[in-house]
Amino acid sequence: MNQDLFVYNTLTRKKEKFIPLNPPHVGIYVCGPTVYSDAHLGNSRTYISFDLIFRYLTHLGYKVRYVRNITDAGHLEGDAGDEGEDKISKKAKLAQLEPMEIVQKYTVGFHDVMKAFNILPPSIEPTATGHIIEQIELVKVILAKGYAYEVDGSVYFDVEKYNQTKDYGVLSGRNLEDMMNNTRTLGGQDEKRGKLDFALWIKAKPEHLMKWPSPWGVGFPGWHLECSAMSNKYLGEHFDIHGGGIDLVPTHHTNEIAQNMAACGKNPATYWIHTNMLTVNGQKMSKSLGNSFLPYELFSGDNAILNKGYSPMTVRFFMLQANYRSTLDFGNEAMEASEKGFKRLMNALTLLDGLKASATTGIEIQPLTDRCYAAMNDDFNSPVLIAELFEASRIINSVHDGKMKIDALNLELLKNTMTSFVFDILGLKNEQAANDDLPKVLDFIVNLRNEAKVSHDYAASDKIRNGLQEIGFKLKDNKDGTTWSKI
């Protein structure tokens, strides 16, 4: 088995062997949410994908420091994140609340969604407002290196000067001239020397709610600056993996690289990993098209485009059935198929503990285990992994039905492979098994049926069997007794 892990690097546009800077330590930075509204499904897909990566690297034995920030100030409404009104301040004014009340409400909501999807918390979750000093110091360094300029209390990054010696479009693959031609004129443009220049520090208007003193006057940090300062503090000037949604490539991540290169001459990360977008029935998910919905609407089915609600683990399973770099299309048929697939996988796991080993075996599990690792080592290929786990489920069902034999050694490997990849790596949970009393209740009912059979009360026995069948549980009689399984 090839033990090497390969990851697709947006920076080089190819798969590369993963070689940590300081093994066994691995540093990951993922851009977190701007907490001015409910977490949306696009967010959720990104964080489920990086949860998979975090879990797998940990499973391989790496000591992972996973940093995922909270943007609680400085993210403005414009495409580049530094034009227009602050998203959080705007929401606070509309709701007549303090900005930090908005931040608190939506941060709690974000954490609730992450918990529902069984996404592990990051090692560190820094906030932008908690690192104002670090951001001011970083602006000072970039100014001193000559890659920024100050205008009336605001500080801007000089993209054209930077591009004279470095490649501003190294991540996106675009050249500066094309980017300038495709950039529309924005408010505040008269202060900037170039169309692509972006704000490192923004002078606050008197009515602006979130502002801090700085050497250039009272203001607030630019959105791009925040991530550079926080990743630098907790992971260093250069670390292993930087990630986020693919929509962050053209501006946010491009500007992060420019800031870091200007300050210390290093690209912040060796590997840049990006998740692809969500679509709904082939269309991009957006509020303007009326086809967007929130995670809790998906759980409850409380949305016009949904036929029904789906459990959080069904949604997580659905997302993992596509590679993180592929466009993922939501549709009722696709969700229903995922629900059936997820139940089939969980049913097999329910049977696994009850399997009995034979003296001989009809199957060798090691090749299947090797294929599971090969899938994950190929750029975290979760859909291929899931296909292998369905093959494992087929084996479990065949052994349970007496169609196949398995010895103790292979049975133990089968159990370890299934539990490691399904629960520890894919991060799935058996929602049916969440009620610890359910097996006890079913065992009690099965015993009542057995007593009815012993008493020759076949009408009661059949009524119990048929009743359990109707609510989704199948009974199987064999020489060792009666077993039950979820249909």
Side-chain angles (χ1 to χ4, degrees), residues 253-459:
H253 286 170
T254 288
N255 291 345
E256 277 192 69
I257 291 175
Q259 289 165 163
N260 221 66
M261 289 290 293
C264 60
K266 298 176 183 177
N267 189 308
T270 306
Y271 307 93
W272 287 80
I273 297 178
H274 293 94
T275 57
N276 214 322
M277 71 175 75
L278 293 175
T279 57
V280 180
N281 298 320
Q283 285 188 307
K284 183 178 179 180
M285 184 183 287
S286 72
K287 290 180 181 178
S288 61
L289 292 173
N291 67 352
S292 67
F293 42 89
L294 298 171
Y296 284 115
E297 291 176 322
L298 188 54
F299 302 157
S300 67
D302 187 20
N303 189 290
I305 66 175
L306 297 169
N307 290 342
K308 55 181 263 188
Y310 300 92
S311 73
M313 286 301 100
T314 298
V315 179
R316 181 178 176 115
F317 182 71
F318 168 74
M319 291 191 179
L320 291 171
Q321 282 187 291
N323 184 270
Y324 72 91
R325 289 194 291 118
S326 303
T327 301
L328 180 61
D329 188 52
F330 267 90
N332 284 295
E333 287 184 11
M335 286 302 305
E336 287 169 17
S338 286
E339 185 176 57
K340 290 176 183 176
F342 175 65
K343 285 182 178 178
R344 191 161 82 246
L345 190 61
M346 291 300 111
N347 290 344
L349 279 157
T350 301
L351 297 176
L352 188 55
D353 285 337
L355 295 187
K356 290 182 170 58
S358 303
T360 59
T361 189
I363 185 71
E364 294 291 335
I365 300 300
Q366 189 61 54
L368 185 145
T369 303
D370 290 348
R371 292 195 301 272
C372 288
Y373 278 105
M376 285 301 292
N377 286 338
D378 181 18
D379 194 30
F380 314 104
N381 201 327
S382 55
V384 173
L385 169 61
I386 288 170
E388 296 296 344
L389 295 176
F390 277 133
E391 171 61 15
S393 299
R394 186 192 64 80
I395 294 168
I396 292 167
N397 287 317
S398 294
V399 173
H400 176 263
D401 293 341
K403 298 175 182 176
M404 186 180 288
K405 292 183 178 181
I406 189 167
D407 63 19
L409 194 64
N410 278 287
L411 179 57
E412 187 63 23
L413 181 56
L414 180 60
K415 287 180 178 179
N416 288 340
T417 298
M418 285 293 280
T419 54
S420 291
F421 281 95
V422 174
F423 299 134
D424 299 342
I425 295 169
L426 290 178
L428 297 168
K429 292 193 299 186
N430 190 343
E431 290 162 320
Q432 291 293 336
N435 183 351
D436 293 335
D437 293 330
L438 180 62
K440 296 177 185 176
V441 172
L442 284 165
D443 288 342
F444 178 73
I445 293 172
V446 168
N447 286 334
L448 287 177
R449 176 174 174 271
N450 289 338
E451 289 173 7
K453 287 172 66 179
V454 169
S455 302
H456 304 290
D457 187 354
Y458 298 115

Side-chain angles (χ1 to χ4, degrees), residues 126-174:
T127 63
T129 57
H131 296 77
I132 298 297
I133 293 172
E134 289 84 354
Q135 292 168 75
I136 289 172
E137 291 303 310
L138 185 55
V139 176
K140 287 180 182 177
V141 172
I142 296 171
L143 275 167
K145 295 287 182 71
Y147 290 108
Y149 54 92
E150 187 258 335
V151 181
D152 190 28
S154 292
V155 181
Y156 296 99
F157 190 93
D158 193 331
V159 171
E160 290 182 63
K161 183 173 182 181
Y162 171 84
N163 200 64
Q164 290 172 5
T165 55
K166 299 171 178 65
D167 183 3
Y168 178 66
V170 64
L171 187 66
S172 65
R174 300 165 65 197

Side-chain angles (χ1 to χ4, degrees), residues 208-251:
H208 196 88
L209 297 177
M210 304 175 79
K211 49 197 172 188
W212 293 265
S214 79
W216 316 284
V218 175
F220 54 95
W223 172 40
H224 315 300
L225 183 76
E226 298 170 355
C227 286
S228 290
M230 289 184 280
S231 66
N232 200 295
K233 176 167 183 174
Y234 296 109
L235 298 172
E237 294 176 346
H238 184 64
F239 50 91
D240 297 298
I241 296 171
H242 196 314
I246 197 169
D247 57 309
L248 298 180
V249 171
T251 52

